[in-house]
Amino acid sequence: MQTGLIGSLKSAATTATATMLISLPRLKPKPPLLFLTTFFFSTASSTTDLTSTLFHQCKSLASAELIHQQLLVQGLPHDPTHIISMYLTFNSPAKALSVLRRLHPSSHTVFWWNQLIRRSVHLGFLEDVLQLYRRMQRLGWRPDHYTFPFVLKACGEIPSFRCGASVHAVVFASGFEWNVFVGNGLVSMYGRCGAWENARQVFDEMRERGVGDLVSWNSIVAAYMQGGDSIRAMKMFERMTEDLGIRPDAVSLVNVLPACASVGAWSRGKQVHGYALRSGLFEDVFVGNAVVDMYAKCGMMEEANKVFERMKVKDVVSWNAMVTGYSQIGRFDDALGLFEKIREEKIELNVVTWSAVIAGYAQRGLGFEALDVFRQMRLCGSEPNVVTLVSLLSGCALAGTLLHGKETHCHAIKWILNLDENDPGDDLMVINALIDMYSKCKSPKAARAMFDLIPPKDRSVVTWTVLIGGNAQHGEANEALELFSQMLQPDNFVMPNAFTISCALMACARLGALRFGRQIHAYVLRNRFESAMLFVANCLIDMYSKSGDVDAARVVFDNMHQRNGVSWTSLMTGYGMHGRGEEALQIFYEMQKVGLVPDGVTFVVVLYACSHSGMVDQGINYFNGMNKDFGVVPGAEHYACMVDLLSRAGRLDEAMELIRGMPMKPTPAVWVALLSACRVYANVELGEYAANQLLELESGNDGSYTLLSNIYANARCWKDVARIRYLMKNTGIKKRPGCSWVQGRKGTATFFAGDWSHPMSQQIYDLLRDLMQRIKALGYVPDNRFALHDVDDEEKGDLLSEHSEKLALAYGILTTAPGAPIRITKNLRACGDCHSAFTYISIIIEHEIIVRDSSRFHHFKNGSCSCRGYW
């Protein structure tokens, strides 16, 4: 009976609808949906059934808005949650919210707030999540155990510790701290915000209440990993699996494997790999990728490759792990081969793959190739990230390609810098790389301009270090030390690391700034740089050696608990620079006794020490035995040392014979060594030949021209002197002026030849005249060969007395405490006449005179010099 009635009603409704539609053409047309909606609402007996039907048949947001409008216009009863659901279906959260906020707060309608919050979390609209959370509270809704995990996730991903802690307070006040999902959300949030102690406290409280689960353990392990505490992460994983017997899942393994990788715990990583195989979790692509990455980061690329080949399912992350792994251990050919294979198989490359290849080229100093890959990356439509640009700038810095560095700077401006939504940390990384690039490309003004762009409070230790290191390495050592001092001032204070200290020590070594170097050494001892003491100690040995105190270098060496090849080589170099060849060779013997095998660099140092100590026969023996006894094939640098060794000893014919027998083309260093000896031994013909060879190699710098000019001047070939000077002028080559500096009580003073700019000039010249008279009485005769001008002998004597090193010595005598060494540094080779004068002056003064020229050290004491004439 009831069925028949319903059938009759349906038939009547169909007839009425047909009648209405027949009569409609004479009316103004309406949109079909609006018309039908109006019709159904006006004729139907059950609006609830009809609204539900219309919602299901709704195909667009416009349709939904029309239905909602008619419900309101007709004043018909309806369920608002249907409308909220409809608006969310058509991706209109603002309209859904406008309906929701008019509802009376109740526990079942909190579901829709959770839906809106969840949607914003998934889309990454994290600030919207917090705004929705605050609005629901203001309107009287109480968050439930589904609300809090989403809100906490947003707080962690922003990250905002302050917001997360305030949500925690509401959780506690609401009594939801007993809920495992909320507790896990709190642990994860604190971990992402870097508050690992808070994360651990929440985790421990959960365990005390007995509400923890596997997700809780995964969250605390992940928290420690995010904080960089890999050891604790591994200990928590071990406690979970071994002490409590909880079976880890794929997330657990993905969390702990990076911890094994970061500390090089490949053995533990191998155990996790074994568990993954036994449990079947290895089939998960994320677990497989984590295993490959672990082996790769531990440098075990053969094992990584085996795992990679065994993986049934690979994604771009799998390939990235292999490419990056090969790049990190220097197997760039393998990395590039794999990269080509990826392209051949048409696997979609992402920015990580491109960045790994660019980094591989950059680390090899192949800046042009790195740029070429970057251009290919852009043609493929992949956008660079911070790692890409930093790697690219590193390649430009290593290759010294300023133009390409500027091009990369433009890309950085376009893709990273000056973007409002960008992470300030990313900006800082790129600017640090730009400072490094400009410094290494010898553009100090641009480097300083980039440095000055960073507010003082935002400068990191890396920012200071790259600028200090760039200045120290590329001729601005004074600026480097000034920056280091500024870095330690209260207004700018940033704690230097081992690299900063090493860069500052390098600057001291370049300047011979022993006093500043000692202060840095004291700072190192006070602040305990044990973790990098080997690195710093090697720099201290180099600094003391190059600042004239090789005995202090030996003390540092003797107190080292650990030494490497650099330690031994640095000390040998120091002894060689100071003409103490026997001690250098003794260090060489001791080095072999402890099991270190000499390499090509070691033999360069040994031959250098022999050359500067006049140990010709020993040097020849080492050179001849390099290949036979140690398997080191002599290179161009070793031949240059041998030419220098023979030339200093006056054996120019043997030096020339050695050059003719070289298995490779002689380098500029070979001809410079020969040319320098021709200056000392007045061999004009051979000097001309060496100079011509340098010009053919396009290595004619001001030093080469000056040496040849001096050879002509010694031979009184004044026309040839004029010709060389004219040639220098025409080719734009300027002779560097001789300059000497000396450390006095009030700092470092710098002098040029004939300099009267110093406030104490009158006292300096008066003292010099007195000294010259006294040493002439002892037998000193001015060597006019070093007055390289065509003037009479008396005027030549006056010119010689005004050389920069003599002025520096007079100032040192006037300002140095009695008995203290006077340390002088000269930018060129010491003048022969000054060398002779200093030998005599050391007889009549109480000071040891230590002179560092462009080649070596001279220690003058009691009428003799440490060089013994081999300089």
Side-chain angles (χ1 to χ4, degrees), residues 212 256 269 531 562-563:
V256 77
S531 60
Q562 180 187 1
R563 302 183 186 115

Side-chain angles (χ1 to χ4, degrees), residues 45-260:
S45 59
S46 175
T47 57
T48 302
D49 291 342
L50 287 171
T51 53
S52 177
T53 302
L54 285 170
F55 288 151
H56 287 302
Q57 293 177 352
C58 196
K59 301 298 182 184
S60 68
L61 177 62
S63 305
E65 289 174 330
L66 286 172
I67 292 172
H68 187 195
Q69 182 186 54
Q70 287 301 311
L71 286 170
L72 296 175
V73 169
Q74 300 288 338
L76 297 171
H78 58 276
D79 186 351
T81 60
H82 287 162
I83 298 172
I84 295 170
S85 175
M86 186 170 56
Y87 279 136
L88 286 176
T89 300
F90 294 115
N91 199 27
S92 183
K95 293 186 179 298
L97 181 61
S98 69
V99 176
L100 180 60
R101 63 196 298 269
R102 289 180 172 83
L103 299 183
H104 183 74
S106 64
S107 57
H108 71 276
T109 51
V110 172
F111 168 82
W112 296 105
W113 284 101
N114 292 342
Q115 289 295 97
L116 284 168
I117 290 170
R118 179 184 180 185
R119 175 186 176 278
S120 294
V121 170
H122 288 171
L123 293 174
F125 301 150
L126 305 178
E127 294 294 341
D128 290 353
V129 172
L130 299 183
Q131 289 179 11
L132 286 166
Y133 169 70
R134 295 186 189 109
R135 180 175 287 188
M136 74 178 288
Q137 288 181 299
R138 282 199 303 271
L139 295 174
W141 267 274
R142 294 186 62 187
D144 63 12
H145 59 287
Y146 293 109
T147 316
F148 288 116
F150 291 124
V151 176
L152 289 167
K153 184 176 183 181
C155 294
E157 290 186 4
I158 288 175
S160 174
F161 173 80
R162 183 176 59 82
C163 291
S166 68
V167 174
H168 188 180
V170 177
V171 166
F172 187 80
S174 306
F176 284 107
E177 71 272 16
W178 290 86
N179 185 277
V180 67
F181 301 110
V182 176
N184 292 341
L186 284 166
V187 173
S188 179
M189 179 274 295
Y190 280 126
R192 288 176 179 271
C193 291
W196 309 290
E197 294 303 322
N198 300 68
R200 181 61 185 266
Q201 185 178 348
V202 173
F203 175 79
D204 290 341
E205 289 173 356
M206 288 175 66
R207 293 201 62 231
E208 287 173 10
R209 298 188 189 106
V211 295
D213 61 4
L214 175 60
V215 177
S216 313
W217 285 95
N218 289 345
S219 298
I220 192 65
V221 172
Y224 281 128
M225 269 307 297
Q226 286 156 4
D229 195 342
S230 302
I231 300 296
R232 280 197 183 184
M234 291 171 62
K235 284 181 179 177
M236 292 302 290
F237 180 80
E238 289 171 7
R239 187 176 169 194
M240 175 184 89
T241 55
E242 296 175 8
D243 297 351
L244 302 177
I246 299 174
R247 290 177 62 83
D249 62 4
V251 175
S252 313
L253 304 190
V254 171
N255 281 339
V256 77
L257 283 165
C260 300

Side-chain angles (χ1 to χ4, degrees), residues 516-567:
F516 207 127
R518 284 172 174 163
Q519 292 171 358
I520 295 174
H521 190 180
Y523 181 87
V524 168
L525 295 173
R526 288 196 305 272
N527 291 277
R528 298 182 175 275
F529 282 82
E530 277 88 352
S531 60
M533 200 58 214
L534 174 63
F535 188 58
V536 173
N538 288 341
C539 291
L540 283 167
I541 292 170
D542 183 64
M543 181 276 296
Y544 278 121
S545 297
K546 291 178 179 175
S547 298
D549 195 349
V550 72
D551 293 322
R554 180 60 190 258
V555 171
V556 173
F557 178 84
D558 289 340
N559 283 284
M560 291 174 71
H561 299 297
Q562 180 187 1
R563 302 183 186 115
N564 61 10
V566 176
S567 316

